[in-house]
Amino acid sequence: MSPTEQSPTDGPAWRRHKSRGQSIVEFGLVLPMLLLLMLGTLDLGRAFFDYIQMRNAAYEGARYASRFPSDTTGAKAKVTQHGVPSATTISITFDPSNCCTVDETATVTVSLTHTFTPITTSFLQRFFDIGPWTLVSSASARVVS
């Protein structure tokens, strides 16, 4: 390097400090979008986890009710034991309504409904008009008792 050439770091001190401030401003502008993306990913993961839990619990409840069709309280207990989210609505229906006879057409259906509230609800509702989601899962089984 000749004596007349300068390296980029040899310039005036005010130039070096100005570029540092620019990085902080850019980070401050991008940070809200990064946080929203991260929270949205967490919300989708939580909703997927709740749905999988509901699906498995509905299957277990239908399996229990297919073996013991007169014990709907036990079937609901089986569903709640499986770890469904709180405030989940559980309904058990039999088709045909004479559930205690064993034939090829008697089936039991366990349906679960849950309202999922994401973490980012206030932001999503304010800017995109997106509110809580309703998760629904059901499972059917033939009565075999």
Side-chain angles (χ1 to χ4, degrees), residues 10-118:
D10 291 344
W14 61 271
R15 280 191 188 167
R16 287 186 300 230
H17 293 294
K18 185 177 178 182
S19 65
R20 286 186 194 161
Q22 175 187 356
S23 300
I24 291 173
V25 170
E26 288 175 357
F27 180 71
L29 291 172
V30 172
L31 182 64
M33 292 307 282
L34 289 175
L35 288 176
L36 183 63
L37 184 65
M38 183 184 69
L39 286 175
T41 304
L42 286 174
D43 281 339
L44 286 176
R46 286 179 48 232
F48 184 69
F49 179 78
D50 285 352
Y51 175 74
I52 294 297
Q53 288 293 100
M54 289 173 54
R55 188 184 69 176
N56 291 339
Y59 171 75
E60 289 296 324
R63 196 176 91 173
Y64 181 86
S66 71
R67 287 181 281 148
F68 307 103
S70 59
D71 187 15
T72 57
T73 306
K76 286 184 180 183
K78 206 56 147 159
V79 168
T80 54
Q81 277 178 352
H82 202 67
V84 294
S86 60
T88 299
T89 305
I90 303 167
S91 71
I92 300 174
T93 57
F94 293 94
D95 183 38
S97 59
N98 55 349
C99 67
C100 297
T101 60
V102 179
D103 62 1
E104 293 182 12
T105 62
T107 59
V108 60
T109 302
V110 176
S111 300
L112 304 174
T113 305
H114 174 68
T115 302
F116 177 80
T117 306

Side-chain angles (χ1 to χ4, degrees), residues 130-145:
I130 298 173
W133 308 325
T134 301
L135 302 176
V136 178
S137 180
S138 65
S140 298
R142 194 178 74 186
V143 176
V144 293
S145 65

